Amino acid sequence: MQRLALTFIAGCSAALIAYGAVFVRGDLGGVFAYLRARGALRRLRESGTQAQTEEAQRQLQALGRQVGDPALAESLIPLALLIGLVVGVLVWRSFGRRLSATPRLDVQERMVYRLAHRRGGRFTLDDLRAGSPLNEAQAQAVTARMLDLGRLVRDGDAFRLA
């Protein structure tokens, strides 16, 4: 459920960002000029005359038409949606790969594998105690767990990799 929600949010966010970039034709400077003019109009409404406010409002609208292009943005909605879909798929796959990846072996199992590879795939409990920091109880527990999982095979008094 979280994976689906995150994918949906990322895809919609990317589509909205792409739409916004197309709407202003990538002119970030024009967007900031519009925002500055809007702030100036807000301040002018508090302290200016009616004529000054109306003129600033007309200039703001003209600047808005100059910066934004709604017709272009409307015609490129499919592109923005495609970008959102691609981002959503990438997020879905990246989290899916993380979830489907085989879990890492714990530290003790990795010690057993290292020792086994150094010894040609065959070792005894004495070799494991001598060649690793594992004590006797830990060595017996990890070999028993690996035997149950089928990662080791008992070969007389020794073990070998499966």
Side-chain angles (χ1 to χ4, degrees):
M1 183 64 179
Q2 292 173 346
R3 179 180 174 195
L4 182 63
L6 182 63
T7 301
F8 181 74
I9 290 169
C12 287
S13 299
L16 285 172
I17 290 169
Y19 178 79
V22 168
F23 187 85
V24 297
R25 295 182 303 266
D27 184 12
L28 194 57
V31 172
F32 283 116
Y34 178 83
L35 292 174
R36 280 191 300 276
R38 193 175 77 176
L41 174 64
R42 187 176 303 136
R43 288 187 298 278
L44 192 59
R45 282 185 180 148
E46 295 170 1
S47 62
T49 65
Q50 181 69 21
Q52 289 174 330
T53 305
E54 288 174 1
E55 179 60 29
Q57 180 70 37
R58 278 192 294 277
Q59 289 176 356
L60 182 65
Q61 288 174 349
L63 184 59
R65 284 189 297 273
Q66 179 184 357
V67 171
D69 190 355
L72 175 65
E74 181 182 351
S75 68
L76 293 177
I77 285 176
L79 176 65
L81 292 175
L82 179 65
I83 290 171
L85 180 67
V86 168
V87 168
V89 167
L90 291 174
V91 168
W92 180 267
R93 287 185 65 205
S94 68
F95 279 94
R97 189 175 310 123
R98 176 88 174 161
L99 292 174
S100 68
T102 57
R104 277 187 68 163
L105 303 173
D106 72 353
V107 174
Q108 293 177 349
E109 288 181 21
R110 286 185 287 181
M111 288 179 193
V112 171
Y113 274 119
R114 272 191 227 116
L115 178 82
H117 286 293
R118 282 194 312 253
R119 302 220 177 241
R122 193 171 190 290
F123 64 95
T124 63
L125 279 176
D126 292 332
D127 295 336
L128 185 57
R129 282 191 302 268
S132 72
L134 299 175
N135 62 29
E136 185 171 344
Q138 291 172 328
Q140 288 176 351
V142 73
T143 53
R145 186 173 59 241
M146 291 177 75
L147 281 169
D148 289 341
L149 294 173
R151 295 179 181 157
L152 289 180
V153 177
R154 189 165 278 287
D155 191 16
D157 288 342
F159 299 95
R160 66 177 167 83
L161 295 175

